[in-house]
């Protein structure tokens, strides 16, 4: 497995427009696009910073994973994504090393990525996403 960089940091917010005021107006980071990923019931705003990205995540439904996260823990960092060059190989390697995967097959991720989440029980408590993106 070849980890290339921190692909993005996923931050759960209640309201994207409200959150963007802070990132754009206060920090001066430009939002470079918004995408709705229906399957994950999430609306994602992309904010590139240097070689990585902040992704703001707003739930599109009360029962979506981001809504549930905010209900339990409040707004904040929800996951960290590492860029890999081959997601399928990375998943296999993780499984061989005894890491519990939430996704045993790659699935679609915002920004046209192929992603897989690792279970926090295997990663010292963080929701770790592996992401392959061209
Ligand atoms: Zn992500």
């Amino acid at each position: 497995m070849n980890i290339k960089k921190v692909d993005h940091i996923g931050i759960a917010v209640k309201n994207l427009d409200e959150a963007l005021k802070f990132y754009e107006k206060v920090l001066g980071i430009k939002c470079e696009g918004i995408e709705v990923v229906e399957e994950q019931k999430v609306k994602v705003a992309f904010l590139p910073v240097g070689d990585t990205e902040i992704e703001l995540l707003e739930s599109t439904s009360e029962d979506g994973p981001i809504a549930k996260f905010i209900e339990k823990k409040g707004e904040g960092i929800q996951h960290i994504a590492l860029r890999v060059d081959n997601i399928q190989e990375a998943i296999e390697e993780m499984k061989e090393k005894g890491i519990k995967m939430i996704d045993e097959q790659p699935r679609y991720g915002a920004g046209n990525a192929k992603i897989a989440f690792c279970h926090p029980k295997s990663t010292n408590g963080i929701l770790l996403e592996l992401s392959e993106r061209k």
Side-chain angles (χ1 to χ4, degrees), residues 5 10 22-23 28 32-33 47 53 59 75 79 82 86 88 108 110-111 116 118 127 132:
K5 64 175 191 168
F22 172 71
Y23 286 91
E32 300 224 320
L47 296 116
E53 207 167 68
S59 191
E75 291 182 301
H79 68 271
L82 297 177
N86 185 318
Q88 195 71 57
Y108 178 82
C118 310
L127 182 57
E132 177 188 332

Side-chain angles (χ1 to χ4, degrees), residues 62-124:
E62 279 175 17
D63 65 348
I66 295 302
K68 285 181 187 160
F69 176 87
I70 291 175
E71 205 178 285
K72 260 202 250 170
K73 298 185 176 171
E75 291 182 301
I77 294 177
Q78 197 252 353
H79 68 271
I80 292 179
L82 297 177
R83 174 87 57 100
V84 296
D85 49 12
N86 185 318
I87 187 80
Q88 195 71 57
E89 272 177 28
I91 292 171
E92 291 312 316
E93 191 177 330
M94 292 296 261
K95 281 159 66 180
E96 275 165 25
K97 288 177 173 169
I99 303 302
K100 192 167 150 54
M101 298 299 294
I102 293 172
D103 301 301
E104 300 214 338
Q105 292 298 326
R107 60 180 162 118
Y108 178 82
N112 211 14
K114 285 192 267 182
I115 65 166
F117 283 101
C118 310
H119 200 286
K121 277 185 181 154
S122 290
T123 61
N124 304 88

Side-chain angles (χ1 to χ4, degrees), residues 4-8 47-54 83 133:
K4 293 177 161 176
K5 64 175 191 168
V6 175
D7 188 79
H8 62 270
L47 296 116
V49 182
D51 194 30
T52 188
E53 207 167 68
I54 290 171
R83 174 87 57 100
R133 201 159 16 163

